[in-house]
């Protein structure tokens, strides 16, 4: 049963809620997921997100114009500058869209923990993320995702991760959902395999798009006998329908509450704060939705994250930054006043008995292209390295621009040569090497062509792209190759080692050129239907994509 709490208890006595007056990232109580709510692990009180998106000059799901980013948690001085202002608007969670897993985050995470601020982090970065129009789930993505998990898993003020953000924005992009759901599965599996804490969740953040209901059901459904291995742990909703002084009906907030009333996991606004139609400009947001979001919606929604802290070209910033100086805009004050006046009703874990169950998976139809099972196979970097080492014809060229024509030629010569790299989210047809990077995939099909042409010397050249080699089977490879099969269509077990480990240490990096340049994404998507292949190869750091279609 919900019970109202007074303002001082919620906002002015945050230390009493979390159970300590001076937190560190190692002692702060974890936030756990139970049913449709978040709870503090130490005393079972409910946790409602009062969040801010915290990333400067960032373009999610990278574009050719902006693939760089600044890690917002790598500079302790900047965190020290901003945290006092973040606390003025009662912040208890930040959302960051990209961190650099090679940098140290102890200073910022310690400061955040001391201020009772938690974190939800996106796993991708602008040039290494699941692309909407040419989706893949491959070694480079897996190593990026697991690298972020490795970097942040020790901090107990990390609630979890987003495996994707607005990857499906149009009706013709729903096939991409299969690759994000596979990323959810493998990220959750990786957390378990590394014995990281069980309270770390993995979710997805969706745009407010026509397919939003199918998306929600797809990511929360549990096909077959897999349980929740492929299901999201929480659902983020980027919502901008409440503009200015709107209301519960006009904004469609009521429809969203009704839809998610029986959802099995926590739902929250992963972004909110519309700037449209304001007479006094974008920095005059009244944030009147706050009263509703933390009022009659808390039975279903767990609060939200305001977009955003830093002012940029999109005009959504709450503050202006000039070196060490922070200057709040008028909507900063509006947000503070709105949050200061609310008194949400909450429950405790002891008094909450969740009964919601996983929804049915949406069926493939004209408006939905992704089957729920099978998903793209689990990415296994060791498998890719083992498979390439065991070939008699390998790719020597590092010129990604030359790959497309070779794929085109080989797959056109005989479609069976490319069975191992097939991707089709609508039929659920995936080759055993469909999770490898393009160079490794090309090596496999080149070898298939070479063997199919009786090992003729001219069959392993392709204008200097490939060359013959002595096949070898490294330690630990034999069982993987047996599971893969000689045609490359078998199912191989998920890896158990570190996602970014080198050969011989439990999880080798792919031999792809992408593995050597983690800032470059070269996703490959092969749709195999008759002789139809779409081949996408990343060409530059700016993610210029070449497509050759047969």
């Amino acid at each position: 049963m919900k019970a109202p709490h007074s303002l001082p208890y919620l906002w002015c006595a945050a230390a009493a809620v979390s159970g300590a007056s001076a937190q560190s990232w190692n002692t702060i109580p974890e936030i756990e997921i139970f049913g449709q709510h978040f709870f503090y692990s130490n005393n079972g009180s409910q946790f409602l997100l009062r969040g801010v998106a915290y990333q400067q000059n960032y373009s999610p799901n990278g574009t050719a114009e902006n693939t760089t980013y600044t890690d917002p948690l790598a500079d302790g001085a900047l965190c020290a500058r901003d945290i006092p202002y973040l606390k003025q608007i009662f912040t208890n969670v930040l959302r960051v869209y990209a961190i650099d897993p090679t940098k140290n985050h102890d200073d910022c995470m310690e400061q955040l923990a001391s201020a009772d601020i938690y974190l939800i982090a996106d796993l991708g970065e602008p040039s290494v993320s699941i692309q909407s129009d040419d989706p893949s789930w491959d070694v480079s993505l897996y190593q990026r995702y697991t690298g972020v998990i490795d970097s942040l898993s020790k901090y107990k003020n990390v609630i979890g991760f987003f495996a994707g953000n607005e990857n499906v924005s149009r009706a013709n992009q729903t096939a991409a959902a299969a690759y994000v759901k596979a990323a959810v599965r493998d990220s959750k599996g990786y957390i378990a395999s590394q014995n990281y804490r069980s309270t770390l969740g993995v979710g997805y953040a969706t745009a407010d798009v026509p397919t939003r209901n199918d998306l929600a059901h797809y990511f929360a459904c549990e096909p077959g006998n897999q349980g929740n291995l492929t299901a999201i742990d929480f659902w983020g909703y980027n919502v901008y329908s409440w503009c200015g002084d709107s209301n519960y009906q006009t904004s469609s907030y009521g429809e969203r509450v009704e839809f998610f009333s029986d959802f099995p996991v926590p739902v929250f606004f992963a972004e909110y704060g519309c700037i449209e139609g304001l007479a006094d400009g974008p920095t005059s947001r009244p944030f009147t939705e706050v009263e509703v979001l933390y009022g009659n919606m808390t039975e279903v929604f767990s609060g939200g994250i305001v977009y955003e802290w830093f002012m940029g070209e999109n005009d959504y910033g709450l503050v202006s930054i000039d070196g060490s100086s922070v200057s709040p805009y008028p909507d900063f004050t509006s947000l503070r006043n709105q949050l200061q006046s609310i008194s949400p009703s909450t429950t405790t874990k002891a008094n909450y008995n969740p009964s919601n169950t996983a929804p049915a998976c949406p069926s493939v139809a004209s408006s939905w292209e992704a089957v729920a099972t099978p998903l793209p196979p689990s990415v296994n970097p060791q498998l890719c390295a083992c498979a390439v080492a065991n070939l008699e014809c390998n790719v020597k060229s590092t010129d990604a621009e030359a790959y497309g024509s070779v794929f085109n030629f080989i797959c056109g010569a005989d479609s069976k040569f490319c069975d191992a790299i097939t991707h089709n989210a609508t039929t659920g047809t995936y080759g055993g090497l469909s999770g490898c990077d393009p160079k490794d995939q090309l090596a496999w099909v080149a070898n298939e062509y070479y063997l199919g042409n009786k090992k003729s010397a001219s069959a392993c050249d392709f204008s200097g792209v490939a060359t013959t080699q002595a096949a070898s089977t490294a330690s630990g490879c034999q069982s993987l190759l047996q599971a893969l099969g000689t045609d490359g269509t078998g199912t191989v077990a998920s890896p158990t080692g570190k996602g970014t480990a080198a050969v011989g240490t439990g999880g080798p990096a792919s031999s792809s050129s992408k593995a050597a340049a983690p800032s470059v994404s070269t996703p490959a998507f092969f749709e195999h239907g008759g002789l139809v292949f779409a081949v996408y190869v990343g060409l530059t750091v700016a993610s210029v994509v070449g497509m050759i279609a047969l």
Side-chain angles (χ1 to χ4, degrees):
M1 178 178 178
K2 298 280 184 177
H5 293 286
S6 66
L7 177 64
Y9 179 81
L10 276 175
W11 310 137
C12 301
V17 176
S18 58
S21 58
Q23 307 291 355
S24 75
W25 55 256
N26 194 42
T27 62
I28 191 170
E30 301 166 28
I31 302 301
E32 59 181 336
I33 297 167
F34 183 57
Q36 205 172 14
H37 299 312
F38 295 102
F39 295 95
Y40 285 98
S41 60
N42 62 331
N43 59 19
S45 59
Q46 188 176 347
F47 180 85
L48 294 177
L49 283 74
R50 305 185 305 277
V52 179
Y54 189 73
Q55 190 99 33
Q56 193 166 17
N57 299 325
Y58 178 75
S59 175
N61 299 332
T63 66
E65 291 77 28
N66 185 3
T67 59
T68 62
Y69 68 94
T70 300
D71 186 335
L73 304 178
D75 190 330
L78 300 185
C79 291
R81 176 197 65 192
D82 293 338
I83 287 174
Y85 291 90
L86 288 164
K87 292 307 295 181
Q88 287 185 35
I89 52 175
F90 309 104
T91 303
N92 67 1
V93 65
L94 296 181
R95 178 183 179 183
V96 297
Y97 294 85
I99 63 105
D100 183 344
T102 68
K103 293 184 177 180
N104 186 287
H105 303 99
D106 287 357
D107 192 350
C108 276
M109 293 305 294
E110 185 74 9
Q111 292 183 55
L112 292 173
S114 182
D116 292 293
I117 296 176
Y118 290 80
L119 185 76
I120 297 177
D122 288 52
L123 290 172
E125 56 108 327
S127 60
V128 187
S129 57
I130 298 173
Q131 302 296 305
S132 301
D133 293 317
D134 58 336
S136 66
W137 173 235
D138 60 23
V139 168
S140 290
L141 289 163
Y142 177 81
Q143 291 178 331
R144 162 69 195 183
Y145 279 38
T146 55
V148 174
I149 293 170
D150 288 340
S151 176
L152 297 179
S153 62
K154 70 177 182 179
Y155 305 115
K156 291 186 177 180
N157 53 332
V158 174
I159 296 172
F161 309 97
F162 282 125
N165 179 68
E166 300 187 2
N167 300 89
V168 178
S169 297
R170 299 192 300 270
N172 63 352
Q173 295 173 339
T174 56
Y179 299 88
V180 184
K181 193 172 174 76
V184 170
R185 175 202 61 205
D186 288 357
S187 297
K188 291 176 63 170
Y190 184 74
I191 290 169
S193 74
Q194 301 306 306
N195 294 315
Y196 293 146
R197 54 187 173 84
S198 60
T199 52
L200 285 171
V202 181
Y204 176 73
T206 183
D208 193 16
V209 293
T211 55
R212 65 192 185 213
N213 292 352
D214 280 339
L215 279 166
H217 285 159
Y218 183 79
F219 279 101
C221 74
E222 302 174 1
N225 59 356
Q226 301 176 74
N228 69 352
L229 295 178
T230 69
I232 42 98
D233 296 313
F234 50 77
W235 186 250
Y237 205 176
N238 301 340
V239 179
Y240 294 90
S241 61
W242 187 301
C243 299
D245 293 315
S246 187
N247 58 61
Y248 192 64
Q249 289 74 33
T250 303
S251 65
S252 299
Y253 275 24
E255 294 177 19
R256 294 173 174 89
V257 169
E258 182 179 359
F259 176 81
F260 285 107
S261 62
D262 59 354
F263 208 60
V265 298
V267 181
F268 56 90
F269 285 177
E271 292 176 6
Y272 76 94
C274 175
I275 62 172
E276 302 299 325
L278 301 176
D280 295 324
T283 61
S284 64
R285 288 177 289 183
F287 283 111
T288 50
E289 66 265 49
V290 166
E291 181 182 4
V292 174
L293 180 59
Y294 296 94
N296 62 322
M297 293 178 66
T298 57
E299 287 279 356
V300 175
F301 278 80
S302 295
I305 298 172
V306 172
Y307 191 83
E308 61 177 322
W309 183 249
F310 299 99
M311 177 57 74
E313 293 182 3
N314 60 13
D315 291 332
Y316 277 89
L318 291 168
V319 299
S320 172
I321 305 291
D322 183 7
S324 61
S325 176
V326 178
S327 300
Y329 287 110
D331 53 358
F332 175 98
T333 302
S334 297
L335 179 62
R336 182 187 64 199
N337 293 342
Q338 290 288 346
L339 287 168
Q340 192 172 18
S341 65
I342 62 175
S343 183
S345 296
T346 61
T347 188
T348 63
K349 184 178 179 182
N351 293 325
Y352 172 59
N353 297 303
S355 58
N356 296 345
T357 58
C361 300
S363 301
V364 172
S366 58
S367 61
W368 186 259
E369 298 176 337
V371 295
T373 188
L375 294 172
S378 294
V379 173
N380 191 321
Q382 186 175 8
L383 166 66
C384 302
C386 288
V388 170
N390 195 52
L391 302 176
E392 297 179 59
C393 178
N394 195 2
V395 173
K396 67 176 182 178
S397 173
T398 58
D399 181 8
E401 191 170 2
Y403 294 174
S405 60
V406 178
F407 275 122
N408 189 8
F409 173 78
I410 297 174
C411 297
D414 189 337
S415 62
K416 291 183 179 179
F417 293 153
C418 294
D419 284 348
I421 63 172
T422 297
H423 292 209
N424 191 316
T426 300
T427 63
T429 305
Y430 302 98
L433 298 178
S434 59
C436 296
D437 286 332
K439 185 178 178 181
D440 292 349
Q441 292 181 339
L442 179 58
W444 176 273
V445 300
N447 189 71
E448 289 291 286
Y449 182 83
Y450 176 64
L451 297 179
N453 285 275
K454 301 179 180 180
K455 301 184 181 181
S456 167
S458 62
C460 184
D461 182 58
F462 306 106
S463 300
V465 170
T467 187
T468 57
Q469 69 176 22
S472 64
T473 304
S475 175
C477 287
Q478 186 171 2
S479 61
L480 294 173
L481 295 173
Q482 287 177 344
L484 178 66
T486 57
D487 62 355
T489 59
T491 300
V492 177
S494 302
T496 56
K498 287 288 185 182
T500 53
V503 176
T505 60
S510 165
S511 61
S512 161
S513 59
K514 269 202 298 187
S519 64
V520 182
S521 176
T522 56
F525 177 56
F526 300 90
E527 267 198 351
H528 182 182
L531 291 178
V532 179
F533 294 88
V535 181
Y536 298 81
V537 181
L539 300 180
T540 67
V541 171
S543 295
V544 179
V545 178
M547 182 180 76
I548 294 100
L550 231 179

